[in-house]
Amino acid sequence: MKRIGMLTSGGDCQALNAAMRGVVKCLVNSKEDVEIYGFIDGYRGLIYGNFRMLEGRDFSGILTKGGTILGSSRTPFKTIKDPDENGLDKIDAMKQNYYKLRLDCLVILGGNGTHKTANLLREEGLNIITLPKTIDNDLWGTDMTFGFQSAVNIATDAIDCIHTTAASHGRVFIVEVMGHKVGWLTLNAGMAGGADIILIPEIPYNIKKVVEKIKERNENGSRFTILAVAEGAISQADAKLSKKEYKEKMKNYKFPSVSYELAQQIQEMTGHEVRVTVPGHTQRGGSPCPYDRVFASRLGAEAGELILKGEYGFMVGYRNREVVKVPLEEVAGKLKVISPDASIVKEAKLMGISFGD
Ligand code: F6P
């Protein structure tokens, strides 16, 4: 008999359900007796003992379903060691609930913040297995996270749609892409959507270079320009500021996001009409793409196998086209960023895409 707890934490993404289904299908298929406890809304459910007992059939028909059947929430790692508003020790509460239910292990699906807490629980003696979810693809230890490819599809669709209207009106268009502090989503959707300029946090931009590219396109007869801009894109000047100076500057920041600042600058410097489109949370929504369905199912099944073998303390990841188990202590607290020297950046530049540097 295996007693498994499961939770999805942090911002949701596509294929969370597909991954959980993969775990459960593997366990059920093994003929091992299993009891599954689904904690509601991430770590919050584990802290406050809010769970649902689930059966194999609860995981039927959810392969194509977006979101998470368990619900999710953000429980910041920064304050995980602080007592809650009623003085409850959150870590102790999570351990108590784990032991009360006599769990053999906890399967945690999440991104960066989630992995820090997962590793802390491992250090506290709980058996943990994690699965890498996030549209940002910024999790250390895995070449790919599930949700990412689905989000690339959606952001690409947005750029495709903007392309036709930008061409009709001869405008400059900025499509702001999610991704938090990294540019994986913007770079991939930008290339897939044929963006002319791609701005990502890893390569701070110089507005003069951005404008140069727009003017160069005009001189070559192109009436419009498409920019794919990461929500975390930063100018070279801002990137030189200390954390404290940057925080101070942002206190008086008058734009909703970097794209609007860029739009104003480009409009002033070129005289072109500039429009901003922000697909926002649509990038995290809807049904997972076929790639993510397969990918998340594979990772889930491998997680199920680890549970059957009693091997804990790992994230099931993907490296060099192989599904691998990565020790949690290697994953927690590290960000996977794009190297400015990465070959994909070089290839994009070879095709004339500007990174504003
Ligand atoms: O981490 C996924 C993500 O969608 C980021 O790309 C984005 O910065 C953030 O979550 C948005 O968070 P929230 O849903 O809490 O607004």
Side-chain angles (χ1 to χ4, degrees):
M1 158 71 86
K2 293 274 185 195
R3 299 163 70 92
I4 314 298
M6 210 179 257
L7 64 87
T8 52
S9 168
D12 75 341
C13 70
Q14 302 88 342
L16 280 164
N17 291 326
M20 290 192 276
R21 173 181 172 272
V23 177
V24 173
K25 274 205 172 274
C26 168
L27 295 174
V28 170
N29 194 42
S30 75
K31 308 281 185 282
E32 169 91 44
D33 275 344
V34 277
E35 269 182 12
I36 302 156
Y37 297 81
F39 292 97
I40 308 303
D41 293 344
Y43 288 119
R44 206 185 280 163
L46 182 59
I47 295 169
Y48 299 106
N50 187 12
F51 63 86
R52 256 192 325 135
M53 283 203 69
L54 299 164
E55 293 176 20
R57 65 168 171 268
D58 292 311
F59 295 85
S60 267
I62 62 168
L63 173 64
T64 61
K65 206 172 165 198
T68 157
I69 57 167
L70 296 181
S72 191
S73 66
R74 293 195 187 276
T75 310
F77 179 73
K78 224 169 37 186
T79 53
I80 199 75
K81 290 182 181 162
D82 302 343
D84 79 354
E85 55 281 11
N86 298 314
L88 181 79
D89 180 328
K90 290 178 270 194
I91 297 167
D92 192 51
M94 289 194 272
K95 285 164 67 179
Q96 292 305 325
N97 283 320
Y98 177 96
Y99 290 124
K100 220 187 289 167
L101 295 171
R102 291 181 289 119
L103 297 181
D104 289 294
C105 108
L106 198 55
V107 179
I108 299 175
L109 293 82
N112 266 306
T114 301
H115 272 79
K116 289 189 212 164
T117 302
N119 189 45
L120 180 66
L121 293 176
R122 179 195 64 80
E123 287 167 351
E124 292 285 326
L126 307 193
N127 292 331
I128 307 288
I129 291 183
T130 68
L131 288 165
K133 73 89 226 195
T134 165
I135 63 164
D136 302 339
N137 194 33
D138 59 352
L139 205 49
W140 185 267
T142 183
D143 296 343
M144 184 87 75
T145 55
F146 54 82
F148 175 65
Q149 290 296 340
S150 303
V152 168
N153 288 2
I154 295 168
T156 303
D157 276 349
I159 299 172
D160 286 349
C161 291
I162 289 302
H163 239 118
T164 57
T165 174
S168 309
H169 290 270
R171 284 171 170 161
V172 174
F173 258 98
I174 297 176
V175 181
E176 183 174 291
V177 181
M178 272 190 171
H180 202 216
K181 293 180 179 159
V182 301
W184 295 104
L185 191 49
T186 309
L187 176 56
N188 283 271
M191 283 183 79
D196 311 295
I197 300 171
I198 297 177
L199 304 183
I200 58 175
E202 293 91 333
I203 306 178
Y205 65 85
N206 177 343
I207 189 64
K208 288 191 190 134
K209 297 278 179 187
V210 173
V211 166
E212 239 170 59
K213 178 69 185 176
I214 296 170
K215 288 188 173 161
E216 176 197 304
R217 280 180 56 76
N218 295 153
E219 279 152 23
N220 291 337
S222 301
R223 273 164 39 85
F224 69 94
T225 297
I226 307 273
L227 289 87
V229 174
E231 62 180 355
I234 185 163
S235 70
Q236 289 177 352
D238 283 354
K240 284 193 191 117
L241 299 177
S242 68
K243 237 182 172 176
K244 200 175 154 206
E245 287 167 331
Y246 185 68
K247 246 185 165 173
E248 203 53 41
K249 182 189 162 178
M250 293 315 277
K251 275 187 193 160
N252 303 315
Y253 195 65
K254 60 178 180 170
F255 301 99
S257 70
V258 64
S259 299
Y260 293 88
E261 181 182 6
L262 278 161
Q264 193 184 78
Q265 289 171 324
I266 294 169
Q267 206 150 312
E268 280 168 10
M269 291 167 81
T270 65
H272 281 306
E273 252 189 310
V274 187
R275 294 285 188 271
V276 177
T277 294
V278 184
H281 286 77
T282 63
Q283 293 163 97
R284 258 169 42 188
S287 188
C289 68
Y291 181 96
D292 270 339
R293 294 178 199 181
V294 176
F295 182 50
S297 298
R298 288 182 64 191
L299 298 191
E302 295 281 354
E305 192 177 38
L306 287 183
I307 295 169
L308 292 170
K309 290 189 198 155
E311 288 186 44
Y312 304 118
F314 296 103
M315 173 185 80
V316 182
Y318 191 66
R319 276 181 179 162
N320 303 320
R321 295 169 190 251
E322 299 282 344
V323 178
V324 290
K325 48 180 199 190
V326 190
L328 275 178
E329 60 268 37
E330 274 182 32
V331 179
K334 290 187 221 149
L335 204 61
K336 185 183 70 192
V337 300
I338 300 173
S339 161
D341 301 322
S343 67
I344 185 170
V345 173
K346 181 188 128 197
E347 288 133 17
K349 286 185 174 176
L350 284 173
M351 293 192 304
I353 296 173
S354 165
F355 286 78
D357 60 338

